[in-house]
Amino acid sequence: MPETPEWIPNERILSFEEIIRLVKIFCDFGVDRIRISGGEPLVRKDVERLVSLIASTPGIKRIGMTTNGFYLEEKARSLRKAGLQSVTVSLHSLRRSRFATVTQRDAHEKVLQGIKVAKEVGFDSIKINAVIIRGYNDDEILDFASLANSENLNVRFIEYMPFDGRKMWGMDKVVSGEEILSKIKKLYNVIQLEREQGSTAVNYKFEDGGGEFGIITSITKPFCSDCDRLRLTADGKIVPCLFDTHEYDVASLLRSNASDEEIKDFLRRVVKLKARGVESLIKESSVASLHHVRPMYVTGG
Ligand code: SF4
């Protein structure tokens, strides 16, 4: 996050009714999975009601959430009850002081407590997302692996992408998936799992004990060829690809009495305009040519 984020006025934020109308339209196209991310979804008032509305939309098979975990302790139970099936917590350091420095909050214990409560209430899946940044937390790779193994969690190691709010990204700070895996293999015997189509991660389990981990090689081995995601921002923009410099305003259509068919036509056009993704950008130019597009806290990943 930047030090002074730009707050969006309330009237620009999509209402639950507008979101659900779009979810229904997405379902007509065959979408069956929704992930609520952010910004931070748990600061949205009555987010449980949104979860419940999405979960009960015909056609939706899976609903997950990515959160910074700050309010998870208080909300895990009600979210589970509302129909949330999986939760992913962004936790980029296991060291309290480091965590406080980057998040500007001394909330490490609170987030760990949130993960504990999430385990108690029985989500189908709990994942920890850790973006590995050279010089910041690359000395914690084994600590994260050990957490996954001992606590039976799924930790996902993510290559650093140029989407940070303070524009600090540089190729010298990227720790490759290969390097992450080789560090873990020095301590653990691991088994690679079959990759599900469209999955962002290559997943592994430990030969001994529980837990799994995934490696998201978004820079060194991107997975654009079967990427089938679309992103809808809080203020009603469709972002087809994280590296797309364009975004497409569906909010104004929703608010101008457009019919469902008109919105569907718009979405068909937007999908066709989807950028070719990071894989093509690197092939056509180089990794060094990647540049900051929009911060991840706007699109939520
Ligand atoms: S760069 Fe774009 S197309 Fe490639 S995986 Fe990311 S979002 Fe999908």
Side-chain angles (χ1 to χ4, degrees):
M1 292 281 284
E3 273 171 38
T4 47
E6 184 198 334
W7 298 101
I8 303 174
N10 215 26
E11 58 277 11
R12 268 184 44 211
I13 303 232
L14 291 184
S15 67
F16 288 174
E17 289 65 32
E18 287 169 329
I19 296 171
I20 293 302
R21 185 172 172 208
L22 284 172
V23 169
K24 285 183 180 151
I25 290 174
F26 289 137
C27 286
D28 286 347
F29 282 119
V31 169
D32 58 8
R33 295 174 187 207
I34 299 280
R35 170 163 297 275
I36 305 176
S37 54
E40 170 47 41
L42 295 185
V43 297
R44 178 83 187 233
K45 195 175 167 210
D46 294 332
V47 69
E48 295 91 338
R49 189 166 80 82
L50 178 62
V51 168
S52 162
L53 289 168
I54 296 174
S56 58
T57 302
I60 292 298
K61 292 186 186 148
R62 297 217 38 98
I63 170 161
M65 179 180 283
T66 301
T67 167
N68 63 22
F70 190 81
Y71 288 116
L72 197 54
E73 184 183 356
E74 293 89 332
K75 297 216 168 230
R77 208 165 291 278
S78 54
L79 288 166
R80 183 70 183 121
K81 209 167 149 206
L84 190 72
Q85 289 155 308
S86 65
V87 66
T88 301
V89 180
S90 304
L91 180 68
H92 307 300
S93 176
L94 297 175
R95 299 185 192 172
R96 184 178 158 187
S97 60
R98 213 176 251 187
F99 179 90
T101 306
V102 79
T103 60
Q104 300 163 56
R105 300 270 184 291
D106 185 12
H108 196 244
E109 274 307 310
K110 187 166 164 52
V111 173
L112 293 181
Q113 186 58 25
I115 294 169
K116 189 167 167 251
V117 177
K119 283 177 85 178
E120 283 165 13
V121 303
F123 285 106
D124 299 351
S125 141
I126 302 171
K127 292 181 181 144
I128 310 287
N129 272 355
V131 174
I132 303 300
I133 303 174
R134 194 169 311 282
Y136 165 62
N137 61 355
D138 53 329
D139 55 349
E140 294 188 57
I141 292 170
L142 288 178
D143 296 341
F144 275 113
S146 154
L147 176 80
N149 188 235
S150 60
E151 295 293 321
N152 200 16
L153 289 167
N154 185 334
V155 171
R156 301 180 340 145
F157 297 93
I158 305 174
E159 286 180 355
Y160 189 21
M161 288 181 274
F163 303 139
D164 50 316
R166 297 189 203 175
K167 303 191 179 178
M168 296 187 313
W169 183 87
M171 204 47 212
D172 55 330
K173 297 197 181 81
V174 175
V175 181
S176 71
E178 206 178 318
E179 184 178 332
I180 294 167
L181 184 60
S182 89
K183 276 197 176 159
I184 296 173
K185 277 181 162 175
K186 280 188 185 141
L187 203 63
Y188 294 99
N189 291 327
V190 301
I191 300 166
Q192 186 173 337
L193 304 172
E194 201 171 321
R195 179 177 176 268
E196 203 183 317
Q197 192 182 357
S199 167
T200 53
V202 179
N203 292 302
Y204 299 82
K205 66 176 185 179
F206 298 95
E207 219 170 68
D208 299 322
E212 290 183 7
F213 65 94
I215 300 187
I216 302 184
T217 51
S218 23
I219 297 293
T220 61
K221 277 189 202 144
F223 31 80
C224 300
S225 55
D226 63 358
C227 167
D228 58 0
R229 289 149 194 251
L230 279 183
R231 291 154 200 84
L232 171 68
T233 64
D235 60 347
K237 309 281 191 316
I238 301 280
V239 180
C241 167
L242 289 173
F243 282 86
D244 222 317
T245 46
H246 299 288
E247 48 193 30
Y248 302 89
D249 182 13
V250 72
S252 45
L253 261 188
L254 286 168
R255 292 171 181 184
S256 64
N257 293 324
S259 68
D260 283 3
E261 269 320 307
E262 284 169 317
I263 293 173
K264 283 182 184 174
D265 281 344
F266 169 82
L267 292 172
R268 283 188 195 97
R269 285 200 300 276
V270 162
V271 169
K272 282 189 187 146
L273 291 169
K274 178 177 178 171
R276 281 175 300 149
V278 66
E279 206 170 334
S280 298
L281 287 174
I282 293 171
K283 265 188 208 147
E284 284 161 15
S285 187
S286 69
V287 175
S289 70
L290 296 181
H291 59 277
H292 199 271
V293 184
R294 65 176 69 66
M296 195 61 101
Y297 74 87
V298 172
T299 47

